[in-house]
Amino acid sequence: MASNVKELNEYWTDIYFHLHYPHTEKISHQVIRILQLVEKKEEIGVNEVATYLHISHNTASEHVKRMVEKNLLIKERGLLDERKVLLHLTKVGKDVLHRNTSLDEEKLEQVMNQLADKEKEIIEQAFKILSERAKTCL
Amino acid sequence: MASNVKELNEYWTDIYFHLHYPHTEKISHQVIRILQLVEKKEEIGVNEVATYLHISHNTASEHVKRMVEKNLLIKERGLLDERKVLLHLTKVGKDVLHRNTSLDEEKLEQVMNQLADKEKEIIEQAFKILSERAKTCL
DNA sequence: CGATTATATCGTACTATACGATAATATAGA
DNA sequence: TCTATATTATCGTATAGTACGATATAATCG
């Protein structure tokens, strides 16, 4: 079973390598990780960012500040607890995140269009199942 | 069909978000991109790195130099053409790459073990099909 | 030998990353 | 209300990452 998982990972990295967007952007690693976190979680504040990246809260605060300056994030204060910050992606933030973590839509569509209907269906089902189950993990 | 591709990307990013390894490493974005390139391609030299990352050849050369110093890459001179450099991953390089681009094997196995045999099969097939077709893209 | 190709190095500049110390502000509890 | 705690922000400082022009080295090609 372990070799099975390794095999899946090889497929996974092959897919990303061949279908990712070109690397034209000068974007840092931590910035992308923060964008990913903010996109997928609701109610994200500075402390959650710090915990997620295993960095101190002051460093996290500075990341957030710079990302707001660059118009990647929007900061809002919590309604119930005004100490808290609620982070959201801007349109620019969403675009940057997309180009750096998603599969290139043109390439993916091109590949999908080469497939038989049954194959397409298998892929859609597989991704759906795995994403749903992944969400319940831990 | 376009919405289909967007849906797949949402599944894709959800899967990575929930199943990736924890972000404990202080590793830069360009370093990971270079590791990915070297892993997936044979006969990679400094110029290919520069082209792939859209950076100048001297910058690429310095990335490679630092990565060799950190024991992430091994440099070898081309047998036929000694001007060329051939890059390979070290064990450390492979490990770093794995922890930063693959799915966490424990988590993935945990998720897979919750699935019915038929679901497992669908996922394996889907990933296999997509990775094979992706390789023929462009 | 001269031109080309592939890589390396030097100097320089700027950005990113990180943390300790400290501060500001909001909430919660005695 | 006063104090403790929680959350975020800022300052000073240090180190590493990123990048490029200019220049150099070395191998190959014609």
Side-chain angles (χ1 to χ4, degrees):
Chain A
M1 181 57 69
S3 68
N4 188 342
V5 164
K6 286 193 205 309
E7 199 177 45
L8 284 177
N9 258 331
E10 181 143 359
Y11 296 148
W12 176 266
T13 54
D14 277 340
I15 293 167
Y16 187 73
F17 182 72
H18 289 97
L19 299 185
H20 70 77
Y21 286 95
H23 295 318
T24 49
E25 232 146 353
K26 287 173 190 165
I27 184 92
S28 88
H29 205 187
Q30 297 293 60
V31 164
I32 289 177
R33 287 166 166 172
I34 293 170
L35 291 173
Q36 285 178 311
L37 180 66
V38 173
E39 190 199 35
K40 296 297 182 188
K41 291 265 189 186
E42 325 229 331
E43 295 274 317
I44 276 295
V46 173
N47 259 327
E48 283 88 347
V49 171
T51 305
Y52 183 64
L53 295 182
H54 297 86
I55 57 179
S56 67
H57 53 99
N58 45 11
T59 301
S61 177
E62 290 190 4
H63 276 300
V64 167
K65 186 176 146 195
R66 276 191 299 267
M67 289 172 73
V68 169
E69 281 166 7
K70 285 179 186 162
N71 194 30
L72 297 171
L73 293 181
I74 288 170
K75 248 198 291 197
E76 191 193 356
R77 284 287 170 171
L79 294 175
L80 295 173
D81 185 343
E82 285 204 10
R83 290 172 303 181
K84 272 209 172 177
V85 154
L86 303 181
L87 298 173
H88 306 281
L89 297 185
T90 63
K91 178 76 173 67
V92 177
K94 281 179 195 167
D95 288 350
V96 168
L97 178 60
H98 180 75
R99 283 195 302 276
N100 283 280
T101 56
S102 291
L103 303 176
D104 187 316
E105 287 181 0
E106 269 186 48
K107 291 182 192 166
L108 181 54
E109 190 157 352
Q110 190 188 317
V111 169
M112 289 296 282
N113 283 339
Q114 287 170 13
L115 299 177
D117 284 352
K118 198 166 181 182
E119 290 175 317
K120 283 187 209 179
E121 209 180 305
I122 287 174
I123 289 172
E124 280 164 43
Q125 271 192 283
F127 276 58
K128 186 171 186 179
I129 293 169
L130 193 53
S131 70
E132 278 170 5
R133 297 307 180 98
K135 287 179 191 171
T136 68
C137 182
L138 296 192
Chain B
M1 180 55 72
S3 70
N4 189 343
V5 162
K6 287 194 205 308
E7 198 176 46
L8 284 177
N9 258 331
E10 180 143 359
Y11 297 148
W12 176 266
T13 54
D14 277 340
I15 292 167
Y16 186 73
F17 182 73
H18 290 97
L19 299 185
H20 69 77
Y21 286 95
H23 295 317
T24 49
E25 233 146 351
K26 287 171 190 169
I27 184 92
S28 87
H29 206 184
Q30 297 293 59
V31 164
I32 290 177
R33 286 166 166 171
I34 293 170
L35 291 174
Q36 284 178 313
L37 181 67
V38 174
E39 189 199 36
K40 296 297 181 189
K41 292 265 190 186
E42 325 229 330
E43 295 273 319
I44 276 295
V46 173
N47 259 327
E48 283 88 346
V49 171
T51 305
Y52 183 64
L53 295 183
H54 298 85
I55 56 178
S56 68
H57 54 98
N58 44 12
T59 301
S61 176
E62 291 189 4
H63 276 301
V64 167
K65 186 176 146 196
R66 276 191 299 268
M67 288 172 74
V68 169
E69 280 165 7
K70 287 180 186 163
N71 194 31
L72 297 171
L73 293 181
I74 288 169
K75 247 197 294 197
E76 191 193 358
R77 284 285 170 174
L79 295 174
L80 295 171
D81 184 342
E82 286 206 8
R83 291 172 303 181
K84 273 210 173 178
V85 153
L86 303 180
L87 298 173
H88 307 281
L89 297 185
T90 62
K91 177 75 173 66
V92 177
K94 281 179 196 167
D95 288 349
V96 169
L97 178 60
H98 180 74
R99 281 195 303 276
N100 283 279
T101 56
S102 291
L103 304 176
D104 186 316
E105 288 182 359
E106 269 186 48
K107 291 182 193 166
L108 181 54
E109 191 157 351
Q110 191 189 317
V111 168
M112 289 297 280
N113 283 340
Q114 287 170 15
L115 300 176
D117 284 353
K118 198 166 181 184
E119 290 175 318
K120 283 187 209 179
E121 210 180 304
I122 286 174
I123 289 172
E124 280 165 41
Q125 270 192 283
F127 276 57
K128 186 172 185 176
I129 293 168
L130 193 54
S131 71
E132 278 170 5
R133 297 305 180 95
K135 287 179 192 171
T136 68
C137 182
L138 295 192

